[in-house]
Amino acid sequence: MSYAAYKMMHWPTGVDHCAAGFVTHSPSDAAAFFTAATVGPGPEGDIDSAAAASRPRRLGPSPNLVVAAANVLEVYAVRAETAAEDGGGGTQPSSSSGAVLDGISGARLELVCYYRLHGNIESMTVLSDGAENRRATIALAFKDAKITCLEFDDAIHGLRTSSMHCFEGPEWQHLKRGRESFAWGPVIKADPLGRCGAALAYGLQMIILKAAQVGHSLVGEDEPTCALSSTAVRIESSYLIDLRALDMNHVKDFAFVHGYIEPVLVILHEQEPTWAGRILSKHHTCMISAFSISMTLKQHPVIWSAANLPHDAYQLLAVPPPISGVLVICANSIHYHSQSTSCSLDLNNFSSHPDGSPEISKSNFQVELDAAKATWLSNDIVMFSSKAGEMLLLTVVYDGRVVQRLDLMKSKASVLSSAVTSIGNSFFFLGSRLGDSLLVQFSYGASKSVLQDLTNERSADIEGDLPFSKRLKRIPSDVLQDVTSVEELSFQNIIAPNSLESAQKISYIVRDALINVGPLKDFSYGLRANADPNAMGNAKQSNYELVCCSGHGKNGSLSVLQQSIRPDLITEVELPSCRGIWTVYYKSYRGQMAEDNEYHAYLIISLENRTMVLETGDDLGEVTETVDYFVQASTIAAGNLFGRRRVYGKGARVLDGSFMTQELNFTTHASESSSSEALGVACASIADPYVLLKMVDGSVQLLIGDYCTCTLSVNAPSIFISSSERIAACTLYRDRGPEPWLRKTRSDAWLSTGIAEAIDGNGTSSHDQSDIYCIICYESGKLEIFEVPSFRCVFSVENFISGEALLVDKFSQLIYEDSTKERYDCTKASLKKEAGDSIRIVELAMHRWSGQFSRPFLFGLLNDGTLLCYHAFSYEASESNVKRVPLSPQGSADHHNASDSRLRNLRFHRVSIDITSREDIPTLGRPRITTFNNVGGYEGLFLSGTRPAWVMVCRQRLRVHPQLCDGPIEAFTVLHNVNCSHGFIYVTSQGFLKICQLPSAYNYDNYWPVQKVPLHGTPHQVTYYAEQSLYPLIVSVPVVRPLNQVLSSMADQESVHHMDNDVTSTDALHKTYTVDEFEVRILELEKPGGHWETKSTIPMQLFENALTVRIVTLHNTTTKENETLLAIGTAYVLGEDVAARGRVLLFSFTKSENSQNLVTEVYSKESKGAVSAVASLQGHLLIASGPKITLNKWTGAELTAVAFYDAPLHVVSLNIWHQKLAPCQIQAWAAQFLLRVPWAMSKARSWKEQGSQLSLLAKDFGSLDCFATEFLIDGSTLSLVASDSDKNVQIFYYAPKMVESWKGQKLLSRAEFHVGAHITKFLRLQMLPTQGLSSEKTNRFALLFGNLDGGIGCIAPIDELTFRRLQSLQRKLVDAVPHVCGLNPRSFRQFHSNGKGHRPGPDNIIDFELLAHYEMLSLDEQLDVAQQIGTTRSQILFNFSDISLGTSFL
């Protein structure tokens, strides 16, 4: 293997940074919308205007939430659901998430836009000037000193770069002052009034970013700025302040303070550095200085300062007005400082004070605040999330502008956070790298009704007139997990205020959670509970899952991840040659059942030349003979018309239940009966009360239903008869709801009224209005949307199939008009003959899923297997541009009216979708896209075909999950009846009909379906025992112990004697100390229900840490048989005064089912040094104990050393490869650096004859902080892969014949690559066979890896021809694609040596993160780029699908 591909499969989920601001809308927009939504008289679900007016509202307009996880940037909107008032006056908990707080019954995060950047976000802030009509700008900082400002652009419904600032390269080299590496990247903060931003780069360089005055900016005058909607804050210029010149040498933090005319920057810095060993003589070394920033004069005078702050101060918080000033957060104390006053609060006994300082108030409980994250809930309450996951509230008690004291109180326990921000005045967000991130609603003092609501829900015997405090005490708290007697905040727990006496009765409800599977420390690869033993080929991969150690402390959990979905099978039937399946509803009378939970009545199965009809009652019974369906031929489509009372079958028959009420024949000239297939229907689309048919000859017919007579009439729209263009695909879209979405995009939106339609409900039908639209795509690639039944064109796009990033109605294409037209003409002329003509659209679908704010998606399937996916949005062009509207639409019947009634504000932006399937689809195939509204509680669409996939819509975001377990799927439909609740039916190409449900244990709102099993401890390492499907797992749980017990067990007897004299006089021995207690849990996945159970626990001794757990196969020399044992390596952690010791433990698994003990200890031995790695090698046990490696043979009762090797460094992992050689690769730890030492033995035969020995073959001579190692195998080529602490991956090889290898002593570099994350584990998996790879390379292995950000990816070997082709494409894409934030992918992927000397290695890895942009280019650009690098588009896409097929593990 000389070449490899790097591919991410699961992107990072651990949240590093979060911020809130009005990014997609200005505060005034939000306020206008908010008042309209709450006060305006609306249908059910909105509040009565009278009730809304009478009740005071705390919920203001909601800002956006911006979240950054490693290199992923996401912008969310917070969607709050208001609670409907009852006549009774009490609040009813709504279905969403329970309790009502402040008139809100639920809230969720909805994705606005999402970007994967070519660089990790080091710091993030939101610049906003607080004006009502101006939006905020997101400012991001990247290594080493790059800053990018992004603003939301309505025209593309996404972020665009408004300015970029780079302080790198030769001309800025002097800023580094000769230093090569810096501990962290730039930190960026914003002035609260948006006048400027500041970024600290290179440790001591402060970059001031001056914001433009309203109306001035870097953007040129000719660029269109939207006049109607608000503009965002923009950066005008920047300059540098060298903090060294101001006598600073170590800046810890900085912040802008409120309440000054000019921006004032307060900097926390350390005058003379100190460290833990010098605290006695030097302890108050920090100080703060406040600078007034005059940006016009570029001056910055000091206006006040405060010295003598503790050495452990690390964070500044600007206090909001009217108080102003700044809080200095230290590990053991909190200090408030402003220009006039100061005060402090001690948090524990470790805080010290300079001599002569006044008496300082103490907190009434002990807490340490280092590494705490903070956000302001109001102008005087700040919430801290501590390192233990506790939420603390600090109240700044003030009188006028004088702060009198600081008050700290405990609140709740929550997730261990990495970033917090408050969103508006009702929500805050806890972002976490170690657990799920939470959106929490808070309220000051719960209203009476809320508490009544809580109590009624839990215990019905409490009367409403009990006093408030008594009622509070009766709320059972056992539902909340107890963490040191503080309630835990978790998803869907209702939490009452903690105590009445406290200054703030703040109550919290967790409203939403974003899943995080990081940090992935280790993972193991095992069989799923519902695995199929007979699976072959790629389908076999769906038998496996990845069991990962993720999280830390109380957020520690086992994450079970699967890339593909394997449904839970209810029943299967053999059914050859099936063409399609449908389920239909039937209501015999009104008001039978709530609409959304109604059961299906019939299942219709279309075979090759007949149709079967089954009744879906308690069981499926065939009723083909008794119904009037047309059963002598196959069915094209079936569905419901007329409020679900009628069923539409084949030919065209209308049936009421099972009785036919009408039959229609489709004729061209004379009367042909519907059974003759001469002019057949090619496909049909149903939207009550219309049916759209596309005939075999390409013409279109519309059947119009009449509600009164319940009959259909045929109508061939005249507009298509006259037009010469052939129709390639068509579909109907039904836009329904209290306010149909597409109506808002009309230019005369306020005039339009739709069909009001009563739905058969329980008599209380809310009047949903619905508009029907017909979407048609011609073979030329033109897409048009028509109103039905008038067939007036309301939207048209010239070249839909080319997959442009933006679809704009061609009659309102104002801004884009000139540029697009000329580009379109010239590309049309020079379209490459290679693929341009052959590409057709084969299927269209448009659907809007549930949700008040949801917008329609438009899908188009091309015949080469590409799925184009667009999301609709509404954009009002500004008035100045409207004058250029061309008012002469060709082909439209009424010229004068054409422009007004068009959906002029409708636009679509393209959404990237990770679907790997590439297959040629026949133009007249059966439909492949099936939308569903409720399968196991999820909504979305199912894509059938050779590589079927689920596309689920969660938070207005598409989540793609393939389903590979049954091979190609011919047809799919949903089924909801008594035995199969919200399930589905599909038919495989082998001819099996399967009725299934989605596995309910998994959450599908993630890149991969995930199940999280809470462990309430930190998981460290996991392995898999295949014979009994068990997962042994190392877990550590913090336990509080008395200090004297800890000290006595730690030291030898004499030191205890000395210690007694020092300590016993004080009360120190009554204190407690927290130690981590380790154990090995053996977990098993229960077959039904997917529940995880601990089968057995092996506890470690006090202060003994389990370091490694592995399943090993040893050859028993007495019985001459192989035994499979569980090996555990441990270390005693007793401080630096005691020599290191460890143990090797071997356990055997009992075979019998009913025995009490699952494992029994068969061997235990203490060793000098910690046992950090174990592995089995050809029946021997290899043990790494510190720097020593021993090879042991197993007699059944004893391990005997037969060979050893003394490594120069501490060994932490062993990798074995049994083939001709057996190298075991070592990572090692030393005081300053790590070395990786691979070795090998000669053949097993030879060392037995010559006496066994371990000998070093080669090593890498450079220093390397190694995180994980593994072998990469490509046919007969062996390489060694290592990841390091600088987030790189290096590939080495052993070549003793090469001159550079110093006769084989040195490992040579084969490739190097910057991953941007710490990879902690590699797993070697055999690549799957694909058509493209040549047959001789069967022995190919890829490496699956997990990293600390929660990302999973793979490194796979590829052949040279593919590598050369894709590498030239990659170089082309660096310039051909505009990259978000202006980041350069080449510089991001270069090896980062962090200032250490490094000789650059070959660039032999291709980056699929960059290549993914190719599929998002438009068709013309794809053909252009392919031609420029001398290949074809189809060849490139074939290579893409080849690699993704070869690595479609799990």
Side-chain angles (χ1 to χ4, degrees):
M1 190 249 27
S2 306
Y3 308 102
Y6 164 85
K7 183 168 187 278
M8 283 303 283
M9 302 155 106
H10 180 289
W11 283 267
T13 53
V15 173
D16 297 313
H17 310 283
C18 60
F22 289 95
V23 177
T24 62
H25 51 273
S26 64
S28 55
D29 299 346
F33 174 78
F34 187 75
T35 47
T38 49
V39 181
E44 236 183 11
D46 272 355
I47 297 167
D48 263 286
S49 38
S54 64
R55 179 149 39 93
R57 272 277 143 151
R58 264 196 65 256
L59 179 72
S62 228
N64 296 91
L65 171 69
V66 187
V67 168
N71 64 333
V72 175
L73 179 72
E74 296 169 329
V75 180
Y76 289 97
V78 180
R79 303 292 192 204
E81 297 163 24
T82 47
E85 286 287 314
D86 279 4
T91 51
Q92 288 265 340
S94 82
S95 58
S96 53
S97 48
V100 177
L101 194 61
D102 272 347
I104 298 178
S105 62
R108 65 180 199 287
L109 294 172
E110 203 171 86
L111 189 78
V112 179
C113 52
Y114 161 86
Y115 296 99
R116 305 206 278 259
L117 314 179
H118 298 290
N120 288 355
I121 297 171
E122 294 289 323
S123 157
M124 174 170 80
T125 188
V126 168
L127 276 166
S128 86
D129 61 359
E132 282 298 299
N133 61 342
R134 298 246 298 183
R135 299 185 181 180
T137 295
I138 304 170
L140 304 174
F142 303 92
K143 279 244 165 98
D144 287 318
K146 289 187 274 285
I147 298 158
T148 304
C149 298
L150 300 170
E151 59 181 56
F152 189 77
D153 184 2
D154 292 304
I156 58 169
H157 200 77
L159 297 175
R160 71 155 178 220
T161 308
S162 64
S163 65
M164 304 192 306
H165 314 268
C166 181
F167 297 89
E168 296 174 19
E171 67 270 35
W172 297 104
Q173 194 67 37
H174 64 278
L175 298 180
K176 294 187 176 182
R177 314 265 310 199
R179 277 184 68 179
E180 277 300 319
S181 70
F182 295 89
W184 49 79
V187 181
I188 188 163
K189 303 271 176 87
D191 176 55
L193 293 177
R195 295 165 293 195
C196 66
L200 181 69
Y202 301 130
L204 285 168
Q205 301 291 335
M206 187 67 76
I207 303 164
I208 301 292
L209 305 167
K210 180 185 175 188
Q213 302 301 312
V214 182
H216 304 280
S217 69
L218 285 176
V219 179
E221 290 307 309
D222 53 335
E223 276 198 41
T225 49
C226 28
L228 277 181
S229 74
S230 45
T231 52
V233 180
R234 291 216 169 114
I235 299 296
E236 187 183 65
S237 59
S238 63
Y239 69 96
L240 281 162
I241 302 176
D242 185 3
L243 298 182
R244 261 189 208 79
L246 305 171
D247 285 344
M248 296 189 190
N249 29 11
H250 179 202
V251 174
K252 292 188 159 192
D253 196 18
F254 64 98
F256 284 98
V257 291
H258 299 256
Y260 289 88
I261 297 169
E262 282 194 311
V264 170
L265 188 64
V266 177
I267 299 180
L268 169 68
H269 55 108
E270 197 168 29
Q271 288 303 89
E272 301 174 48
T274 182
W275 66 290
R278 297 269 295 150
I279 298 296
L280 271 175
S281 55
K282 260 179 156 180
H283 40 80
H284 281 66
T285 55
C286 290
M287 66 175 290
I288 54 174
S289 314
F291 298 90
S292 175
I293 308 285
S294 165
M295 288 176 287
T296 44
L297 302 172
K298 297 193 180 177
Q299 289 178 348
H300 34 268
V302 179
I303 49 176
W304 56 272
S305 65
N308 279 345
L309 288 168
H311 73 282
D312 54 12
Y314 68 96
Q315 191 181 3
L316 290 180
L317 291 179
V319 184
I323 311 173
S324 308
V326 67
L327 284 175
V328 184
I329 314 301
C330 314
N332 306 310
S333 53
I334 300 177
H335 307 261
Y336 168 82
H337 284 278
S338 71
Q339 201 159 349
S340 48
T341 59
S342 68
C343 66
S344 345
L345 177 71
D346 279 358
L347 303 175
N348 53 40
N349 300 336
F350 294 114
S351 58
S352 60
H353 301 287
D355 304 331
S357 59
E359 186 62 31
I360 285 179
S361 57
K362 273 193 173 342
S363 155
N364 50 10
F365 58 93
Q366 302 257 327
V367 66
E368 291 169 22
L369 261 196
D370 53 325
K373 302 287 181 265
T375 185
W376 291 92
L377 299 188
S378 71
N379 64 351
D380 58 344
I381 299 174
V382 64
M383 191 233 1
F384 290 100
S385 175
S386 74
K387 61 180 178 184
E390 291 179 325
M391 278 159 55
L392 309 168
L393 294 177
L394 177 78
T395 312
V396 182
V397 183
Y398 66 102
D399 180 15
R401 287 190 68 167
V402 178
V403 173
Q404 293 163 335
R405 66 175 200 279
L406 304 172
D407 237 353
L408 190 70
M409 51 170 269
K410 281 193 182 186
S411 187
K412 297 282 175 294
S414 76
V415 64
L416 299 168
S417 350
S418 57
V420 295
T421 181
S422 36
I423 310 171
N425 52 11
S426 300
F427 298 98
F428 61 85
F429 178 77
L430 296 164
S432 172
R433 280 178 62 90
L434 303 174
D436 293 353
S437 302
L438 305 178
L439 174 72
V440 185
Q441 185 193 349
F442 65 95
S443 172
Y444 303 103
S447 60
K448 190 170 173 187
S449 58
V450 175
L451 278 162
Q452 203 169 341
D453 191 38
L454 292 178
T455 49
N456 291 352
E457 215 164 285
R458 299 281 160 72
S459 48
D461 57 340
I462 299 181
E463 316 80 42
D465 57 3
L466 274 177
F468 188 74
S469 52
K470 286 243 184 74
R471 256 192 288 145
L472 203 57
K473 283 176 190 147
R474 307 265 304 258
I475 296 176
S477 61
D478 50 28
V479 292
L480 307 164
Q481 176 208 344
D482 206 39
V483 178
T484 56
S485 76
V486 177
E487 295 165 331
E488 177 81 6
L489 220 58
S490 72
F491 200 26
Q492 293 181 340
N493 269 0
I494 300 160
I495 296 179
N498 28 7
S499 75
L500 286 166
E501 291 74 43
S502 66
Q504 293 78 30
K505 298 184 283 289
I506 296 193
S507 43
Y508 304 94
I509 295 182
V510 179
R511 291 298 192 189
D512 201 354
L514 297 180
I515 287 195
N516 170 27
V517 297
L520 297 174
K521 300 185 188 128
D522 188 32
F523 54 75
S524 168
Y525 179 78
L527 278 177
R528 301 187 188 182
N530 59 359
D532 170 20
N534 308 322
M536 296 300 293
N538 281 9
K540 198 171 175 183
Q541 281 301 319
S542 317
N543 283 344
Y544 296 98
E545 60 192 5
L546 214 54
V547 177
C548 313
C549 299
S550 57
H552 179 83
K554 63 179 185 183
N555 295 133
S557 66
L558 211 58
S559 296
V560 185
L561 289 155
Q562 312 176 344
Q563 190 177 2
S564 62
I565 290 179
R566 173 180 281 281
D568 288 337
L569 186 68
I570 296 177
T571 175
E572 69 174 321
V573 195
E574 192 159 355
L575 188 77
S577 70
C578 172
R579 290 297 184 80
I581 44 178
W582 299 269
T583 43
V584 289
Y585 298 98
Y586 171 60
K587 279 190 189 162
S588 49
Y589 57 91
R590 287 173 65 96
Q592 186 177 358
M593 214 172 191
E595 182 183 345
D596 51 351
N597 208 24
E598 183 188 346
Y599 287 156
H600 287 105
Y602 295 102
L603 167 66
I604 300 160
I605 302 173
S606 168
L607 304 175
E608 203 145 350
N609 46 17
R610 65 189 189 93
T611 296
M612 287 168 64
V613 183
L614 286 78
E615 215 168 6
T616 59
D618 295 340
D619 51 357
L620 293 177
E622 188 168 347
V623 290
T624 311
E625 303 308 316
T626 61
V627 294
D628 288 345
Y629 283 84
F630 185 73
V631 295
Q632 289 83 41
S634 58
T635 298
I636 301 290
N640 284 89
L641 291 178
F642 309 128
R644 296 204 168 158
R645 281 197 301 283
R646 316 266 160 174
V647 175
Y648 160 74
K650 151 73 195 177
R653 289 192 177 184
V654 185
L655 297 101
D656 188 350
S658 57
F659 305 109
M660 179 168 78
T661 58
Q662 185 192 7
E663 176 163 19
L664 289 172
N665 302 334
F666 306 128
T667 56
T668 42
H669 322 289
S671 61
E672 292 178 285
S673 76
S674 60
S675 59
S676 84
E677 295 286 302
L679 177 64
V681 180
C683 60
S685 168
I686 300 169
D688 186 9
Y690 302 103
V691 182
L692 182 72
L693 305 173
K694 178 176 167 249
M695 304 315 223
V696 181
D697 65 351
S699 64
V700 166
Q701 298 202 349
L702 180 74
L703 309 184
I704 302 176
D706 182 348
Y707 265 107
C708 312
T709 60
C710 291
T711 55
L712 288 175
S713 54
V714 183
N715 168 18
S718 56
I719 180 168
F720 301 122
I721 297 174
S722 57
S723 99
S724 57
E725 291 195 88
R726 283 177 63 88
I727 291 172
C730 58
T731 183
L732 288 180
Y733 165 62
R734 181 170 176 201
D735 195 27
R736 57 179 290 185
E739 184 186 5
W741 190 86
L742 280 178
R743 270 190 225 171
K744 303 175 193 167
T745 64
R746 284 199 190 161
S747 30
D748 54 354
W750 56 90
L751 298 174
S752 62
T753 55
I755 322 163
E757 160 206 344
I759 293 171
D760 291 346
N762 303 349
T764 63
S765 63
S766 61
H767 282 275
D768 267 16
Q769 300 178 317
S770 71
D771 302 338
I772 312 275
Y773 295 91
C774 164
I775 299 125
I776 287 191
C777 191
Y778 301 98
E779 288 190 357
S780 64
K782 183 165 130 188
L783 175 99
E784 296 199 319
I785 300 181
F786 297 92
E787 272 181 0
V788 176
S790 66
F791 274 94
R792 191 172 60 206
C793 177
V794 289
F795 183 86
S796 72
V797 157
E798 272 306 320
N799 201 358
F800 173 69
I801 56 169
S802 75
E804 298 284 347
L806 208 62
L807 300 185
V808 185
D809 181 15
K810 77 170 183 210
F811 290 118
S812 61
Q813 205 163 11
L814 317 160
I815 303 161
Y816 296 84
E817 185 183 25
D818 312 327
S819 56
T820 326
K821 193 153 278 180
E822 68 200 47
R823 199 183 76 198
Y824 184 68
D825 292 343
C826 61
T827 48
K828 192 79 175 174
S830 68
L831 247 184
K832 317 297 165 295
K833 282 287 164 281
E834 173 249 317
D837 302 342
S838 60
I839 288 182
R840 298 258 180 287
I841 189 132
V842 290
E843 192 174 349
L844 276 173
M846 186 165 171
H847 198 79
R848 176 176 168 224
W849 281 278
S850 64
Q852 186 191 345
F853 297 97
S854 67
R855 311 191 309 276
F857 282 95
L858 173 66
F859 299 93
L861 194 61
L862 306 184
N863 59 357
D864 66 345
T866 312
L867 181 68
L868 298 178
C869 167
Y870 285 92
H871 204 173
F873 66 98
S874 172
Y875 169 69
E876 270 185 60
S878 57
E879 288 302 313
S880 59
N881 297 326
V882 175
K883 301 184 177 68
R884 290 190 284 151
V885 176
L887 278 178
S888 56
Q890 299 80 22
S892 172
D894 37 355
H895 287 266
H896 59 282
N897 197 18
S899 160
D900 294 337
S901 61
R902 292 184 74 86
L903 304 175
R904 189 192 298 167
N905 299 334
L906 174 64
R907 289 192 176 187
F908 292 90
H909 67 97
R910 184 151 172 213
V911 183
S912 69
I913 185 166
D914 305 310
I915 284 193
T916 53
S917 69
R918 287 269 162 222
E919 43 163 337
D920 288 337
I921 298 174
T923 319
L924 285 174
R926 56 183 88 74
R928 289 165 180 259
I929 297 175
T930 315
T931 57
F932 55 87
N933 288 328
N934 187 349
V935 171
Y938 289 88
E939 51 188 19
L941 64 92
F942 185 82
L943 194 66
S944 50
T946 54
R947 285 180 65 78
W950 295 80
V951 181
M952 296 184 178
V953 179
C954 309
R955 310 177 190 281
Q956 290 294 291
R957 166 191 204 147
L958 300 176
R959 299 283 198 185
V960 183
H961 304 306
Q963 177 179 325
L964 310 174
C965 54
D966 297 294
I969 286 180
E970 301 288 321
F972 171 95
T973 187
V974 291
L975 172 69
H976 177 48
N977 74 356
V978 183
N979 303 320
C980 174
S981 170
H982 296 300
F984 52 95
I985 307 180
Y986 60 90
V987 180
T988 66
S989 59
Q990 282 96 32
F992 286 97
L993 178 139
K994 302 195 175 188
I995 302 182
C996 304
Q997 283 175 308
L998 275 182
S1000 57
Y1002 286 83
N1003 190 326
Y1004 297 94
D1005 182 17
N1006 188 34
Y1007 299 106
W1008 288 6
V1010 59
Q1011 175 188 8
K1012 289 190 77 170
V1013 185
L1015 296 170
H1016 308 303
T1018 306
H1020 295 276
Q1021 209 176 47
V1022 63
T1023 185
Y1024 178 62
Y1025 177 51
E1027 282 175 40
Q1028 297 181 29
S1029 289
L1030 300 173
Y1031 289 93
L1033 167 77
I1034 300 177
V1035 182
S1036 66
V1037 183
V1039 179
V1040 177
R1041 299 254 169 197
L1043 190 61
N1044 49 7
Q1045 181 188 353
V1046 173
L1047 291 172
S1048 61
S1049 59
M1050 275 183 82
D1052 338 289
Q1053 290 313 308
E1054 8 178 335
S1055 55
V1056 173
H1057 183 68
H1058 294 305
M1059 190 187 67
D1060 283 347
N1061 306 340
D1062 303 341
V1063 185
T1064 37
S1065 54
T1066 69
D1067 58 352
L1069 289 183
H1070 301 301
K1071 293 185 178 168
T1072 56
Y1073 184 72
T1074 308
V1075 288
D1076 278 337
E1077 293 204 346
F1078 279 75
E1079 59 188 24
V1080 174
R1081 294 184 196 167
I1082 298 179
L1083 299 169
E1084 183 181 21
L1085 175 60
E1086 293 293 302
K1087 285 286 183 282
H1091 176 70
W1092 286 78
E1093 196 177 325
T1094 305
K1095 287 288 184 189
S1096 174
T1097 303
I1098 307 170
M1100 299 291 120
Q1101 298 174 1
L1102 190 64
F1103 295 109
E1104 184 182 25
N1105 290 12
L1107 297 183
T1108 180
V1109 57
R1110 288 285 175 255
I1111 301 288
V1112 292
T1113 306
L1114 302 183
H1115 181 71
N1116 189 331
T1117 52
T1118 40
T1119 62
K1120 300 283 186 283
E1121 286 175 354
N1122 284 347
E1123 295 179 15
T1124 303
L1125 303 173
L1126 174 70
I1128 301 175
T1130 72
Y1132 289 96
V1133 181
L1134 296 169
E1136 56 190 12
D1137 304 324
V1138 183
R1141 294 176 300 135
R1143 284 197 304 165
V1144 180
L1145 305 168
L1146 294 178
F1147 292 83
S1148 70
F1149 292 94
T1150 48
K1151 295 283 186 287
S1152 61
E1153 289 293 315
N1154 50 10
S1155 70
Q1156 295 298 312
N1157 293 6
L1158 182 67
V1159 289
T1160 46
E1161 186 177 313
V1162 292
Y1163 178 75
S1164 160
K1165 183 187 177 190
E1166 215 171 81
S1167 80
K1168 294 179 186 169
V1171 179
S1172 49
V1174 292
S1176 58
L1177 172 62
Q1178 295 171 344
H1180 293 63
L1181 183 66
L1182 200 60
I1183 298 174
S1185 157
K1188 195 183 189 78
I1189 298 170
T1190 50
L1191 186 71
N1192 301 270
K1193 68 179 185 199
W1194 172 241
T1195 61
E1198 195 64 40
L1199 282 175
T1200 319
V1202 292
F1204 72 93
Y1205 176 80
D1206 281 323
L1209 297 163
H1210 192 94
V1211 179
V1212 293
S1213 85
L1214 297 163
N1215 296 57
I1216 305 266
W1217 175 60
H1218 306 269
Q1219 286 265 291
K1220 304 179 181 67
L1221 306 166
C1224 48
Q1225 178 160 336
I1226 307 291
Q1227 302 163 318
W1229 174 89
Q1232 285 84 18
F1233 54 88
L1234 280 147
L1235 270 184
R1236 194 168 7 64
V1237 195
W1239 350 69
M1241 287 168 290
S1242 43
K1243 290 182 184 150
R1245 211 177 40 251
S1246 57
W1247 64 258
K1248 278 184 183 159
E1249 293 158 5
Q1250 302 160 358
S1252 45
Q1253 63 178 40
L1254 289 169
S1255 57
L1256 175 68
L1257 281 187
K1259 64 179 181 182
D1260 167 31
F1261 283 82
S1263 68
L1264 191 69
D1265 286 339
C1266 207
F1267 270 45
T1269 53
E1270 188 50 274
F1271 294 105
L1272 188 60
I1273 297 164
D1274 180 19
S1276 58
T1277 322
L1278 178 75
S1279 311
L1280 305 114
V1281 181
S1283 67
D1284 63 32
S1285 62
D1286 291 324
K1287 307 185 179 181
N1288 303 308
V1289 160
Q1290 281 173 281
I1291 302 180
F1292 297 94
Y1293 66 111
Y1294 173 61
K1297 296 199 170 92
M1298 304 273 283
V1299 181
E1300 308 91 281
S1301 71
W1302 305 347
K1303 295 184 180 169
Q1305 295 177 55
K1306 183 176 183 228
L1307 287 172
L1308 301 178
S1309 173
R1310 182 162 267 163
E1312 56 183 31
F1313 187 79
H1314 184 68
V1315 176
H1318 288 125
I1319 292 181
T1320 48
K1321 164 89 174 182
F1322 287 111
L1323 176 71
R1324 192 170 70 236
L1325 295 175
Q1326 183 148 11
M1327 289 180 73
L1328 309 173
T1330 59
Q1331 320 92 331
L1333 296 173
S1334 45
S1335 53
E1336 72 270 7
K1337 287 275 179 87
T1338 50
N1339 187 29
R1340 268 198 158 168
F1341 288 83
L1343 298 185
L1344 197 70
F1345 63 78
N1347 64 38
L1348 291 181
D1349 297 324
I1352 298 169
C1354 71
I1355 292 175
I1358 55 173
D1359 54 283
E1360 183 171 4
L1361 190 66
T1362 311
F1363 171 76
R1364 295 276 174 238
R1365 182 182 298 123
L1366 295 182
Q1367 189 187 37
S1368 47
L1369 173 65
Q1370 177 175 308
R1371 288 177 179 153
K1372 192 87 202 136
L1373 287 177
V1374 172
D1375 310 324
V1377 177
H1379 300 291
V1380 187
C1381 296
L1383 294 166
N1384 187 335
R1386 276 186 65 188
S1387 75
F1388 178 48
R1389 293 305 183 189
Q1390 266 175 348
F1391 187 89
H1392 288 213
S1393 61
N1394 202 13
K1396 296 195 275 284
H1398 173 78
R1399 192 170 159 208
D1403 174 22
N1404 284 345
I1405 298 185
I1406 52 171
D1407 175 20
F1408 262 84
E1409 288 291 273
L1410 174 56
L1411 293 176
H1413 289 296
Y1414 182 73
E1415 298 188 66
M1416 286 300 289
L1417 293 173
S1418 71
L1419 180 63
D1420 308 333
E1421 293 168 318
Q1422 285 183 8
L1423 298 171
D1424 267 344
V1425 169
Q1427 193 189 34
Q1428 285 164 5
I1429 62 170
T1431 179
T1432 62
R1433 170 181 182 266
S1434 50
Q1435 181 64 56
I1436 290 172
L1437 296 179
F1438 179 70
N1439 287 147
F1440 282 4
S1441 74
D1442 232 29
I1443 291 172
S1444 58
L1445 274 173
T1447 57
S1448 55
F1449 308 117
L1450 305 162

